[in-house]
Amino acid sequence: VIILAMAFYWWVKRQELKSIILTVVPAVAGLGYYFWAMKTFPAIAAWGAQNNLLSPDFYYFILGYGLLWILAVLGIKRAFVHDERKTLIILCWIFAGIVLLYSPVGPQRRFVSGLHIPIVILAGFGLPVILERVIKYFNQFAPDGIGGH
């Protein structure tokens, strides 16, 4: 997630390539070691072979989070309108989680653990958008002097 966020930030800002390489190379080396170990050591390969937990269909994944997606989309919109760059890593977290969730590896379903955290954070950014609209709607029915207007 951090590598994806840094790569995107570098692409947008054209930051120093050295810092990106210093972050990406160790992560790729660790990932390479994982795949090498899965192919080389019989015990790890046996564990990986029995550890098949396939993800549900994408439709069910979306339905599982329900109305949080609406608030999360509003949160993304609000973040881009207010130029809140701190949400970049949250978006990368969601993107990387979804990619891993449907990647061709055995323990797919385990990658959904913790994915609710960035979705809820974005939904928290979107909640003020809904609340502002609800307050504005109900203020039109309030008598003068009530409702702050």
Side-chain angles (χ1 to χ4, degrees):
V1 172
I2 293 172
I3 293 170
L4 184 63
M6 287 186 66
F8 183 75
Y9 186 75
W10 175 78
W11 179 72
V12 170
K13 289 291 189 180
R14 304 284 190 233
Q15 291 291 324
E16 186 179 338
L17 184 60
K18 181 181 174 183
S19 63
I20 299 298
I21 291 173
L22 289 175
T23 305
V24 171
V25 169
V28 170
L31 190 62
Y33 174 76
Y34 172 77
F35 285 116
W36 174 77
M38 290 292 282
K39 298 289 182 192
T40 305
F41 299 111
I44 296 175
W47 173 79
Q50 62 86 28
N51 198 19
N52 288 328
L53 301 168
L54 299 179
S55 296
D57 290 338
F58 190 70
Y59 174 75
Y60 294 117
F61 169 72
I62 295 296
L63 283 179
Y65 287 105
L67 297 176
L68 280 177
W69 285 115
I70 296 170
L71 289 173
V73 168
L74 290 172
I76 293 168
K77 180 182 174 192
R78 180 174 175 244
F80 281 112
V81 167
H82 294 296
D83 197 27
E84 295 180 18
R85 297 188 192 274
K86 59 188 169 196
T87 58
L88 176 64
I89 196 161
I90 298 169
L91 291 173
C92 289
W93 186 353
I94 292 172
F95 178 75
I98 291 172
V99 168
L100 285 172
L101 188 61
Y102 292 99
S103 62
V105 294
Q108 289 177 342
R109 190 171 292 202
R110 293 183 190 218
F111 293 122
V112 79
S113 298
L115 196 55
H116 63 282
I117 296 169
I119 295 170
V120 168
I121 291 171
L122 285 176
F125 286 149
L127 191 60
V129 175
I130 295 288
L131 291 177
E132 288 170 2
R133 290 180 185 173
V134 168
I135 289 170
K136 188 176 183 181
Y137 175 77
F138 283 113
N139 276 344
Q140 70 183 356
F141 299 115
D144 290 337
I146 299 177
H149 294 290

